[in-house]
Amino acid sequence: MNILGCLDVADRGDYGLNDQGRTIVLITHDLAIAQQAKRVVYFRDG
């Protein structure tokens, strides 16, 4: 199931996926977006 493929970029709605026990992986260079997450993992050198 890929509901994210049909979302508008401006759509920042809460779909409750994380509350359902699902893992969400978001890759971004935008720190404002990353700061909205419960947990942030930073990659260095790769």
Side-chain angles (χ1 to χ4, degrees):
M1 179 170 120
N2 180 9
I3 67 164
L4 301 180
C6 54
L7 293 179
D8 189 295
V9 173
D11 186 359
R12 302 255 163 87
D14 178 5
Y15 295 92
L17 295 176
N18 193 245
D19 296 333
Q20 296 173 17
R22 298 179 188 259
T23 298
I24 301 168
V25 177
L26 171 72
I27 300 168
T28 183
H29 293 275
D30 188 334
L31 293 178
I33 298 295
Q35 290 173 342
Q36 296 179 42
K38 292 179 183 177
R39 179 177 178 209
V40 178
V41 176
Y42 295 95
F43 287 90
R44 237 178 24 191
D45 300 330

